[in-house]
Amino acid sequence: MFATTTFHINDKDKFFSAYRLGQCMGSGFYGEVRKCRSKKTQLSRAVALIRKDKLDELEMKRFIHETEVMSRLDHPNILRLYERY
């Protein structure tokens, strides 16, 4: 099923002005996943911080494609992607 909500693409400065980072939940070669909290709504989220310097051109294209697909999915067994910075 595809989501009907709006997907936002923003820059990293807007991320840090909109969210407070929390504890690290896991890490790997490409980056880490951390808890964060919206400064506006106080809702908790998980954020994947990806080190773009670790991605080659093909991996970057795959990552962008994956986020575009995920932004349209709405299913109880799939994590919801709200924004990409």
Side-chain angles (χ1 to χ4, degrees):
M1 178 177 278
F2 289 100
T4 58
T5 58
T6 304
F7 176 69
H8 302 281
I9 299 175
N10 301 302
D11 62 41
K12 72 176 183 174
D13 292 331
K14 290 183 182 180
F15 173 81
F16 287 109
S17 65
Y19 291 92
R20 278 190 296 280
L21 283 181
Q23 73 184 63
C24 181
M25 297 166 51
S27 62
F29 180 75
Y30 292 109
E32 63 185 15
V33 175
R34 298 182 70 142
K35 289 183 180 180
C36 67
R37 183 175 298 273
S38 169
K39 292 179 181 179
K40 183 177 180 180
T41 66
Q42 299 304 310
L43 292 173
S44 292
R45 300 277 189 239
V47 59
L49 302 169
I50 307 296
R51 294 198 46 188
K52 292 190 295 186
D53 63 327
K54 298 283 186 182
L55 302 177
D56 63 27
E57 187 177 339
L58 180 60
E59 290 169 324
M60 180 61 81
K61 287 180 182 179
R62 286 180 180 159
F63 170 74
I64 291 169
H65 181 263
E66 180 180 338
T67 60
E68 288 170 351
V69 170
M70 287 183 66
S71 71
R72 296 189 309 259
L73 297 176
D74 183 20
H75 189 277
N77 296 329
I78 299 174
L79 288 175
R80 181 82 171 100
L81 179 63
Y82 292 98
E83 299 172 293
R84 182 180 78 199
Y85 289 85

